[in-house]
Amino acid sequence: MATKAFASSGDLEEKEQTLEVLADGVYALTAEGDPNVGAIEGEDFLVCFDALATPVAAGDWLARLREHTGKPVRYLVLSHYHAVRTLGASAFEAEVIVAHDNTRGLIAERGEQDWASEYGRMPRLFKQPASIPGLTWPDMTFSDSAGIDLGGDRGTLELRYLGRGHTEGDIVAWLPRQGILFAGDLVESQAALYTGDAFHREWASSTLDNVAALGAETLVGGRGAVTRGRDAVDAAIEQTRHFLDVMLREVGAVHARGGALSAAFDAAHAALVDRYGAWPIFEHCLPFDVSRLWDELSGIERPVIWTAQRDREVWDQLQG
């Protein structure tokens, strides 16, 4: 049997990017399962949501955005700490970079290791990596919620922490007037979940309950197509929950009977592959997902730091 290429290292084909205008002054850029980003116009400024992996990649997004608006970027909101969401920040020349309190701590604790890890796993996303000036540090953080007054009659952009999920510092950007939610990687639309830094039980229960309670009519997940309509938004949230619930059931059963990590991976893979196997990054993510969940079930509260070496060890053990 052919050896699987490590993580997404073999995925070198460029993805088609699509810029969508979701409402007056509200934009999303999607790219066939690559990380999504967005922007919201204020009266005389922009709020951008997530930064992509390098300043060059971010510059390409900003060039597309400049076809619609020339307003300067006042705020750059980071949904969480992962390198593919943060390291392109310098391209925005934002006045204020905003993140959750926990995201600042995670950058300090494991930002360098995450950079090396993600570059090794997803090299195509790191367009001209030499353009990265260093780690991205937020200027402003909050614990529960923060609001950005968009000015005029544009309302308020609400930034909310809804609980631990994909990481312990995920935040969403919510436009209640338009019913539009930028959910980051707390919800995926037809893309597999990465849970290597997750809190599976909390994510699958109270955190997704809090996402659903917002009642969004349009949802931009971390990857995949924009989801439109309340029924479709609810379905995307429940698909995310289902992925987590299946992992919890299958990995939990093997763990409870004293089985091996490799057996837990095989059980989770078999239970998920028919529904999710053709979706972006499924094979890439699952070894790291199962490894983190195994640790969580073993009483390891916070995720072990992923390093380039640990990535390879887990991959070789479970996908080799």
Side-chain angles (χ1 to χ4, degrees):
M1 182 166 57
T3 301
K4 292 178 180 176
F6 171 67
S8 290
S9 62
D11 179 10
L12 302 177
E13 183 179 344
E14 289 298 317
K15 308 300 188 217
E16 182 179 355
Q17 294 184 331
T18 301
L19 190 154
E20 300 181 53
V21 181
L22 307 182
D24 181 29
V26 184
Y27 310 93
L29 186 77
T30 63
E32 298 183 297
D34 279 356
N36 296 335
V37 292
I40 301 99
E41 287 191 48
E43 188 71 7
D44 57 1
F45 64 90
L46 283 170
V47 182
C48 287
F49 188 78
D50 279 336
L52 296 176
T54 71
V56 171
D60 291 344
W61 149 232
L62 286 167
R64 298 282 301 274
L65 184 60
R66 291 307 180 204
E67 297 173 7
H68 297 267
T69 174
K71 295 175 183 177
V73 179
R74 182 174 298 172
Y75 299 96
L76 172 63
V77 177
L78 305 178
S79 64
H80 60 284
Y81 82 98
H82 285 149
V84 295
R85 301 286 181 183
T86 63
L87 294 183
S90 62
F92 294 82
E93 298 182 340
E95 294 180 28
V96 182
I97 298 175
V98 186
H100 190 263
D101 292 342
N102 291 343
T103 292
R104 178 192 285 278
L106 288 163
I107 292 168
E109 178 187 49
R110 58 186 71 194
E112 290 284 357
Q113 296 95 322
D114 181 71
W115 178 353
S117 168
E118 295 202 17
Y119 181 44
R121 293 187 195 180
M122 299 172 281
R124 178 179 52 78
L125 298 183
F126 287 79
K127 188 173 184 179
Q128 297 186 32
S131 65
I132 301 170
L135 293 175
T136 299
W137 295 96
D139 304 299
M140 168 187 159
T141 65
F142 63 92
S143 59
D144 296 315
S145 64
I148 296 175
D149 182 356
L150 297 173
D153 61 354
R154 294 176 178 270
T156 299
L157 176 66
E158 300 179 5
L159 307 179
R160 297 195 186 184
Y161 177 68
L162 301 177
R164 298 186 301 183
H166 174 72
T167 72
E168 63 189 55
D170 299 276
I171 59 175
V172 303
W174 170 230
L175 287 162
R177 181 174 298 183
Q178 298 92 334
I180 298 173
L181 179 66
F182 292 87
D185 283 316
L186 285 177
V187 180
E188 308 293 7
S189 177
Q190 298 188 8
L193 271 63
Y194 176 67
T195 73
D197 294 300
F199 297 79
H200 293 79
R201 288 169 288 199
E202 190 172 331
W203 187 1
S205 55
S206 59
T207 299
L208 284 179
D209 288 346
N210 290 335
V211 175
L214 293 174
E217 295 286 344
T218 302
L219 184 145
V220 184
R223 294 173 183 259
V226 174
T227 302
R228 292 178 170 83
R230 183 63 184 274
D231 289 346
V233 169
D234 288 345
I237 293 168
E238 290 312 308
Q239 167 243 295
T240 301
R241 195 192 309 268
H242 178 262
F243 194 106
L244 294 165
D245 284 343
V246 171
M247 284 187 59
L248 284 160
R249 182 188 73 217
E250 298 297 331
V251 177
V254 176
H255 189 275
R257 65 174 180 260
L261 174 63
S262 58
F265 173 79
D266 291 342
H269 191 282
L272 291 165
V273 69
D274 286 348
R275 180 167 175 179
Y276 301 107
W279 288 9
I281 67 173
F282 174 78
E283 296 291 351
H284 166 170
C285 292
L286 198 62
F288 309 115
D289 295 354
V290 172
S291 179
R292 165 55 189 156
L293 178 52
W294 189 264
D295 284 350
E296 194 173 7
L297 295 170
S298 301
I300 299 173
E301 172 67 10
R302 299 187 66 245
V304 178
I305 295 174
W306 290 102
T307 64
Q309 178 180 347
R310 181 170 177 246
D311 287 352
R312 292 282 182 171
E313 291 170 352
V314 168
W315 185 267
D316 291 345
Q317 181 182 5
L318 300 181
Q319 286 277 42

